[in-house]
Amino acid sequence: MRRKLIRTVGTVACATAIVATIGVGIASASPGKRLGETLVVIQSPPRQQYVDLGDPGPSPGDLLVFASTLANQAGTPIGDLHIACTQNFDQVAVCVGIFNLSRRGKISVDASPVFPNPTVGMVTGGTGEFQKVRGEAHIDPQPDGTTKITFHLLG
């Protein structure tokens, strides 16, 4: 059961997974001029650590932390991702992820996935070019273990 939770959390996150080529569909490189920008990245399968707290097996309060590399669709590394998930009730986890996009800035995403299904996270802010952004992150696990993450940014 624990391995299933780790695999399904990792798959969905591969945060989320993570995610098409960065720069495609970008409206502007300057903060505040981002109306309807779409950004797609691919998250590699993550390094992960499961911390089983309380009752053995998945239970409220358990933690899963992981890290992944991010790439464009051509496979060129473009950054990394760090996520922490806390298991809640009913197979729901509360996850917070920081997407670090090299030379561009960071994007923060909160999500409450029901594993192992695709989910939509909330973009809650960022730094650098992503300062003051909001929007959604569509997190779509792929059969090969990667995750396609499509950001719809406003701000």
Side-chain angles (χ1 to χ4, degrees):
M1 185 74 145
R2 181 174 140 189
R3 287 185 189 259
K4 182 178 179 183
L5 175 65
I6 291 171
R7 184 175 61 247
T8 55
V9 170
T11 298
V12 170
C14 258
T16 315
I18 269 225
V19 265
T21 303
I22 288 193
V24 173
I26 296 197
S28 170
S30 59
K33 295 186 180 181
R34 209 177 240 98
L35 299 177
E37 177 179 346
T38 298
L39 176 66
V40 183
V41 297
I42 305 297
Q43 177 189 346
S44 67
R47 298 183 325 267
Q48 54 195 14
Q49 178 67 47
Y50 180 77
V51 180
D52 192 2
L53 302 171
D55 296 336
S59 62
D62 290 352
L63 302 173
L64 177 67
V65 294
F66 54 95
S68 301
T69 59
L70 299 173
N72 62 24
Q73 212 167 12
T76 303
I78 55 170
D80 56 45
L81 166 63
H82 296 271
I83 296 177
C85 295
T86 303
Q87 182 67 40
N88 209 308
F89 294 96
D90 304 321
Q91 295 301 309
V92 175
V94 176
C95 303
V96 176
I98 303 296
F99 293 77
N100 180 24
L101 301 175
S102 300
R103 296 182 302 274
R104 296 197 61 197
K106 296 179 181 179
I107 299 173
S108 178
V109 175
D110 294 349
S112 186
V114 177
F115 303 113
N117 303 313
T119 193
V120 177
M122 302 160 281
V123 174
T124 58
T127 65
E129 291 180 29
F130 307 108
Q131 191 175 33
K132 299 182 183 181
V133 296
R134 296 287 185 262
E136 294 183 336
H138 292 254
I139 303 163
D140 188 19
Q142 303 296 297
D144 66 358
T146 63
T147 300
K148 179 180 179 182
I149 302 171
T150 304
F151 293 97
H152 299 284
L153 303 175
L154 302 170

